[in-house]
Amino acid sequence: RAKLNQQINRELRLRTGAENLYRYQCVLILKSDVRKNFIAKEFVLVTEASSTQRQHIVSVPMIPLGLKETKEIDMTVPLQDFISEHYGEDASLYLNEIRDFMELRQAMRTPSRNETGQELLMEYYNQLYFLDQRFFSPHRSLGIHFHWYDSLTGVPSVQRELAFEKGSVLFNIGSLYTQIGARQDRSTLTGIQSAIDAFQRAAGVFLYLQENFSHAPSLDMSSPALSILVRLMVAQVQECVCEKVIINMQDNNMNVLLQAAKEAARVSDVYSLVLQAMSVPLLKDYVPFSWISMVQVKTHHFRALAHYYTAAALCDSSGELLNVSSVRRSGGPAAVLAF
Ligand SMILES: *[C@@H]1O[C@H](CO)[C@@H](O)[C@H](O)[C@H]1NC(C)=O
Ligand SMILES: *[C@@H]1O[C@H](CO)[C@@H](O)[C@H](O)[C@H]1NC(C)=O
Ligand SMILES: *[C@@H]1O[C@H](CO)[C@@H](O)[C@H](O)[C@H]1NC(C)=O
């Protein structure tokens, strides 16, 4: 099961990665063809009316995470035993509640990939809090084993600690946010805002996991892996912020263009940090190749975009020659200096 899972996950990831890259490259190729013929025209466009700005936005795919899978478990007997032994009550009185709880667990294994699924995961997570308070004591184990598969490799892990179950559910809450974020239509302001919101929440969840669940047995929940995920989500937020600035450009005076250049340079910087974090020995072979490629492409793409907007700013619509020393003083982007 584990081996198959791993293989299926790998194939799926390869396919998604390939599709994303293919789509992305098509856009790039399209753009570069257009560019060859119309480089001058495009340059005029960027310094022209605001309504044309939208045409310059390439909606680049974002990286979502897969949900961790888990094996079905039946806690009915252990819970009933605990009720009669520890609380001295007739366990059969609680059969319906236990059944509801087991159904909730079953349902949250395959949440719908939207807010409804998110609520389901939260509901289960909240129940785990009560379960932890009333049924798990350090002195007596319920003998329940929690099986969860690694989100990236499908490698199984087992632990008896309820904390593993809690952490894994939290992980899925974060993953689901990444999926919701990646699915937004970022050609509109509301779409960009929703994506920012979702990626920020995902980053928050992974950070919380890193701080509070540091003893999980699986690699995707290890501190270095979570640190990558946090950085990746922060980078994706930054990318959306940059897109927001670009989509919001009303006119093309020098300051606006420099602002766009600055944001693009920042995106490139955060992605290069992600790339560094992904390149450490333990994780290099663990992180999907398609992620590394995507992060690499984005580092260069946004660096290029920064240069592009800087160039456009230098050819400010006023047509005046730019006084570089004044740009430096006004805190222009690093790209200006490189330029
Ligand atoms: C989420 O998706 C499920 C099925 O895919 C659907 O029944 C439900 O209404 C959706 N919820 C929201 C909030 O869109
Ligand atoms: C999680 O970890 C943070 C930082 O260590 C800490 O401030 C916070 O209280 C922890 N939360 C819980 C619920 O333990
Ligand atoms: C450029 O700006 C600086 C500072 O504002 C000024 O001293 C300098 O004379 C300007 N140079 C030109 C060529 O306008």
Side-chain angles (χ1 to χ4, degrees), residues 279-296:
S279 308
V280 302
L282 176 67
L283 295 166
K284 207 168 56 203
D285 300 323
Y286 173 70
V287 174
F289 178 68
S290 61
W291 286 20
I292 296 179
S293 313
M294 184 66 84
V295 169
Q296 237 160 3

Side-chain angles (χ1 to χ4, degrees), residues 321-327 329:
L321 267 181
L322 189 77
N323 186 335
V324 174
S325 66
S326 69
V327 173
R329 271 190 301 101

